[in-house]
Amino acid sequence: MITLAIRHTTTYRYRLPVWLGPHRLMLRPRESRELRLVSSEVTTTPAAALSWAHDVFGNTVATASFEGMTDRLSVVSVAVLELSAVAWPVFDIAASAIAYPFCYSDDEWTDLGSLAVPLYADPDGRLADWARGFVRSAPTDTLAMLKDLHSGVPEWVRYQSREEEGTQTPLQTLARGWGSCRDLAVLFVEAARSLGLGARIISGYFYNPQRQFSSGEATHAWAEIYLPGAGWITFDPTNRAVGGSNLIPVAVARGIAKAMPVTGSFVGMTDAFQGMSVEVDVASASLAA
């Protein structure tokens, strides 16, 4: 078990004072059997009234409401947590799902719902064809097939950090041959869905004890695939890792747009927005002290 301290600062700058609309904040790490949250605090400058709720996926969401005008907005999240995920997990997949293709039970299909349905259009079937290329035989070992698909993403797509907001579609990522961690995660999730599997996007943080992030950033996105018996299995295509020993989940969603840490709006001159910056530090509590 390791104790981690996370400090996440998002700053927006405006050329002229603006009115800030409500901002949606998804910054509180998700507690689980493998993650115990010791403390979590979110503050804003200017000060805001925060109202808390849980969305349909059980993510903790804060809505920040502001008064008055400002030329700068800063959102700071500080969390301390204990992470106990093992580095080499063993997945107890149900006998019915060990070989692919397999069928989910009626209840599983109902519960997975849209998580098993592709989110992006694939009119010519290019993404589906690409995904089927990793199915070596019928039947084939399910976990081995998923690991091949997972490894295939970074082999086909070069990682490249992108500062601009938004996410490439899976077809854009395949065509360009490069993408950010969120682009690689979306590609993997959509490829898995095209194979009839339930999949979801996870956003959060990546911890590297050497303080050198192989993905180039501490904020991170990865994927989970649902397999009967084992449940949700973590796949991180950017870092070619299976399991969540160095991942701190914050938000779970069908698509990455619903898992962004900070979203909101402002009312002001059309050229008022000057820029934004994000600073994240993920460190062991002893180093952060």
Side-chain angles (χ1 to χ4, degrees):
M1 182 178 68
I2 55 175
T3 301
L4 300 176
I6 302 171
R7 183 179 181 87
H8 182 166
T9 303
T10 304
T11 303
Y12 296 89
R13 300 175 303 279
Y14 305 92
R15 302 179 193 280
L16 300 169
V18 299
W19 294 95
L20 296 173
H23 278 59
R24 185 173 184 264
L25 313 179
M26 301 182 74
L27 296 164
R28 181 184 173 93
R30 287 174 62 97
E31 296 183 81
S32 68
R33 181 179 61 83
E34 299 173 333
L35 190 155
R36 188 178 79 86
L37 193 59
V38 177
S39 63
S40 176
E41 182 180 19
V42 176
T43 58
T44 67
T45 305
L50 297 180
S51 59
W52 296 86
H54 290 91
D55 67 10
V56 68
F57 288 104
N59 302 308
T60 300
V61 182
T63 300
S65 301
F66 301 89
E67 294 184 0
M69 303 181 74
T70 183
D71 61 1
R72 184 183 181 91
L73 168 61
S74 177
V75 180
V76 180
S77 171
V78 178
V80 177
L81 57 91
E82 294 176 345
L83 187 64
S84 60
V86 298
W88 304 102
V90 176
F91 304 110
D92 189 15
I93 301 172
S96 61
I98 288 177
Y100 176 86
F102 65 89
C103 292
Y104 291 116
S105 69
D106 291 343
D107 284 343
E108 287 169 332
W109 270 121
T110 300
D111 292 340
L112 286 169
S114 63
L115 295 179
V117 179
L119 181 61
Y120 297 86
D122 183 25
D124 300 322
R126 184 187 172 201
L127 176 63
D129 289 342
W130 180 80
R132 283 193 294 269
F134 295 94
V135 182
R136 308 301 183 188
S137 62
T140 190
D141 183 271
T142 301
L143 187 58
M145 181 272 290
L146 282 170
K147 288 182 176 179
D148 286 345
L149 175 61
H150 167 248
S151 298
V153 170
E155 290 174 0
W156 280 73
V157 180
R158 173 175 52 86
Y159 170 80
Q160 181 173 314
S161 178
R162 287 193 300 111
E163 297 299 328
E164 65 268 24
E165 296 182 359
T167 304
Q168 298 174 172
T169 69
L171 291 179
Q172 287 174 329
T173 300
L174 282 178
R176 294 172 179 174
W178 59 268
S180 67
C181 64
R182 59 188 184 272
D183 300 319
L184 271 64
V186 166
L187 173 60
F188 177 72
V189 162
E190 287 292 288
R193 287 172 177 164
S194 76
L195 296 174
L197 299 174
R200 61 188 189 181
I201 287 284
I202 316 295
S203 69
Y205 306 103
F206 175 77
Y207 170 65
N208 187 316
Q210 283 75 45
R211 314 273 289 168
Q212 296 176 348
F213 301 102
S214 60
S215 68
E217 51 194 323
T219 54
H220 196 41
W222 59 96
E224 289 182 348
I225 307 296
Y226 183 80
L227 295 182
W232 291 103
I233 298 179
T234 298
F235 291 89
D236 180 5
T238 302
N239 292 297
R240 301 176 183 243
V242 179
S245 63
N246 58 351
L247 299 172
I248 301 97
V250 171
V252 170
R254 181 189 179 203
I256 192 65
K258 296 296 185 180
M260 302 304 290
V262 180
T263 56
S265 62
F266 71 90
V267 177
M269 299 294 290
T270 55
D271 62 347
F273 182 69
Q274 190 173 28
M276 70 167 291
S277 61
V278 179
E279 297 179 6
V280 177
D281 182 68
V282 182
S284 68
S286 59
L287 291 176

